[in-house]
Amino acid sequence: MHELDLGSPPLDGHERGKRRRIAEILAAARELLNEQAADEVTTSRIAARAGVAPMTIFNLIGTRDDLWAAIAAASLTEVSHGSSEIEDARERAHAIADQFMSAIISEAPVWRALISSWRDSGRVLEGEPTGALLSCFDDAVDQGHLSHEVDIRRLVATILSGFVGAAHQWAAGLISDRGMRRRASDLVDLALAAGRPDGPPPMWPPGS
Amino acid sequence: MHELDLGSPPLDGHERGKRRRIAEILAAARELLNEQAADEVTTSRIAARAGVAPMTIFNLIGTRDDLWAAIAAASLTEVSHGSSEIEDARERAHAIADQFMSAIISEAPVWRALISSWRDSGRVLEGEPTGALLSCFDDAVDQGHLSHEVDIRRLVATILSGFVGAAHQWAAGLISDRGMRRRASDLVDLALAAGRPDGPPPMWPPGS
């Protein structure tokens, strides 16, 4: 959501009101997810807490799965600042991975609920980290840390599956907070090591 | 379960009966998951289909999450044969990855149900592929395809998170059957490329 705030034309009152209501609905849902089991966080309870009609949630956000996706996106976007100033693309990739895992850990009850009760939880992390990592890996190519013959998009997609899996393993209690952060860091290492510019022919030529 | 069949001492009648009942319960649950939504596949329906008392399921297998885990393990173990004959460890790693994804695809309704309704679905693939991939990557070191200075266990754990994530993305409809198989193959490529024995110092020394 923060991306829309940068350089967008001024919003009219109607649009501002709509955004405020969306923010209130998401905040209410996150509060409730911190307080009770996800099954109990019904649309009508969220609506009551946010002071809107249940139908408003559907109109402004969509289905229950869309609501979970919006909560995930809101939780992740809040921490996606800061890393863009890191010059070295390899360090920045690690910072991005760590920030996202930290976002999940810092709101653990919400994320455990989202991941374990959300039917479409494969959508976790589909949105934000992809863009940040793509531009970071592009810079890594420019800085000579990744071969320019490697398909960056494919490299990012591959480690994102790892992030999704690590988040699920964490939600299932199979890996600790520290284990999830380390797994994310290892996935970044894996991509950087696999795509390093020396040695044998690259793994995946662009567009492969 | 097939591992127990190799070289174990002969089973007494009691043990044989227990195993037969476990197999019948798992078969009944898989049938029901192919027929109806996972929410509707209750323990009492599974018990009725298998011709046992509901309590027997708890006594022989455990909780509902344990039952899902046992179904997953049974589905995966059935396809884990065959690849062990492939001499080249890199080819074998790809075969192992592909067999597991094929197992999931071939019983898609069961797996979609398991992954989307199972609270602990991070446990997916925790069991079987790990062992097969560990011994395969050990062979890859012996064959000179992976550096002996790389922590194989950590390499396997990292790509397994990717398998878990890919299975969730597939269950959420974000990637196709073909996309999931390709993702698994890419994860194997990533590990082999990252751990290749040439070039700069290895990513992760053993025990790191």
Side-chain angles (χ1 to χ4, degrees):
Chain A
M1 215 165 283
H2 73 286
E3 296 221 88
L4 293 170
D5 299 332
L6 305 169
S8 315
L11 303 172
D12 61 26
H14 178 70
E15 192 59 26
R16 268 200 310 273
K18 210 167 116 179
R19 293 196 183 189
R20 203 193 55 238
R21 276 201 304 279
I22 291 175
E24 283 164 359
I25 292 164
L26 296 181
R30 286 162 83 175
E31 273 175 35
L32 289 168
L33 287 170
N34 269 307
E35 293 166 16
Q36 49 198 254
D39 298 348
E40 292 164 29
V41 182
T42 57
T43 304
S44 48
R45 282 187 191 171
I46 296 167
R49 177 74 62 106
V52 300
M55 200 57 197
T56 306
I57 296 183
F58 183 76
N59 289 335
L60 291 178
I61 297 172
T63 64
R64 194 175 162 82
D65 279 348
D66 294 329
L67 178 61
W68 287 168
I71 294 168
S75 168
L76 292 176
T77 331
E78 283 162 20
V79 293
S80 69
H81 301 283
S83 59
S84 56
E85 288 139 36
I86 301 172
E87 182 64 25
D88 184 280
R90 294 167 301 184
E91 275 180 51
R92 201 195 317 148
H94 281 287
I96 292 167
D98 200 61
Q99 277 170 354
F100 283 108
M101 293 312 180
S102 298
I104 291 177
I105 292 164
S106 73
E107 221 173 355
V110 170
W111 277 93
R112 284 196 205 275
L114 286 181
I115 292 171
S116 60
S117 79
W118 180 11
R119 272 190 321 106
D120 288 351
S121 58
R123 279 161 80 183
V124 174
L125 309 185
E126 267 293 306
E128 193 26 61
T130 311
L133 279 175
L134 275 174
S135 89
C136 179
F137 279 19
D138 275 339
D139 290 350
V141 173
D142 293 341
Q143 292 175 8
H145 304 310
L146 281 178
S147 165
H148 65 274
E149 293 179 75
V150 167
D151 184 335
I152 293 302
R153 194 164 280 277
R154 192 160 165 189
L155 203 56
V156 168
T158 307
I159 67 168
L160 274 175
S161 285
F163 288 6
V164 171
H168 278 89
Q169 291 173 307
W170 167 84
L174 295 168
I175 57 177
S176 64
D177 292 358
R178 196 168 150 266
M180 178 168 68
R181 295 170 89 131
R182 181 168 136 148
R183 191 61 50 85
S185 170
D186 282 358
L187 284 155
V188 170
D189 277 342
L190 202 66
L192 292 169
R196 64 188 190 257
D198 63 285
M203 197 169 34
W204 309 314
S208 60
Chain B
M1 212 165 285
H2 73 283
E3 297 220 87
L4 291 170
D5 298 334
L6 306 168
S8 315
L11 303 172
D12 62 26
H14 178 70
E15 191 60 27
R16 269 202 307 274
K18 210 166 115 178
R19 292 199 185 189
R20 203 192 56 238
R21 276 201 304 280
I22 290 175
E24 283 163 0
I25 292 164
L26 296 181
R30 286 162 83 174
E31 273 174 34
L32 288 169
L33 286 170
N34 270 307
E35 293 167 15
Q36 50 198 252
D39 298 347
E40 292 163 28
V41 182
T42 57
T43 305
S44 49
R45 282 188 191 171
I46 296 167
R49 177 74 61 105
V52 301
M55 199 58 196
T56 306
I57 296 183
F58 183 77
N59 289 336
L60 291 178
I61 297 173
T63 64
R64 193 173 161 83
D65 279 347
D66 294 328
L67 177 61
W68 286 169
I71 294 168
S75 168
L76 291 176
T77 332
E78 283 163 19
V79 294
S80 68
H81 301 282
S83 59
S84 56
E85 289 140 36
I86 301 173
E87 182 63 27
D88 183 280
R90 293 169 301 184
E91 273 179 53
R92 200 196 317 148
H94 280 287
I96 292 167
D98 199 61
Q99 276 169 356
F100 283 108
M101 292 313 180
S102 298
I104 291 178
I105 291 164
S106 73
E107 220 173 355
V110 170
W111 277 93
R112 283 194 205 273
L114 285 182
I115 292 171
S116 59
S117 78
W118 180 12
R119 273 189 321 105
D120 288 351
S121 57
R123 280 160 79 183
V124 174
L125 310 185
E126 268 293 307
E128 193 24 61
T130 311
L133 279 175
L134 275 174
S135 89
C136 179
F137 278 19
D138 275 338
D139 290 350
V141 173
D142 293 341
Q143 293 175 7
H145 304 310
L146 281 178
S147 164
H148 66 273
E149 294 180 76
V150 166
D151 183 338
I152 293 302
R153 194 165 280 278
R154 192 161 165 189
L155 203 56
V156 168
T158 307
I159 67 168
L160 274 174
S161 285
F163 288 7
V164 170
H168 278 90
Q169 291 172 307
W170 167 84
L174 295 168
I175 56 177
S176 64
D177 292 358
R178 197 167 150 265
M180 178 167 68
R181 295 170 91 130
R182 181 169 137 149
R183 190 62 50 84
S185 170
D186 283 358
L187 284 155
V188 170
D189 277 341
L190 202 65
L192 292 170
R196 64 188 189 258
D198 64 285
M203 200 170 30
W204 308 316
S208 60

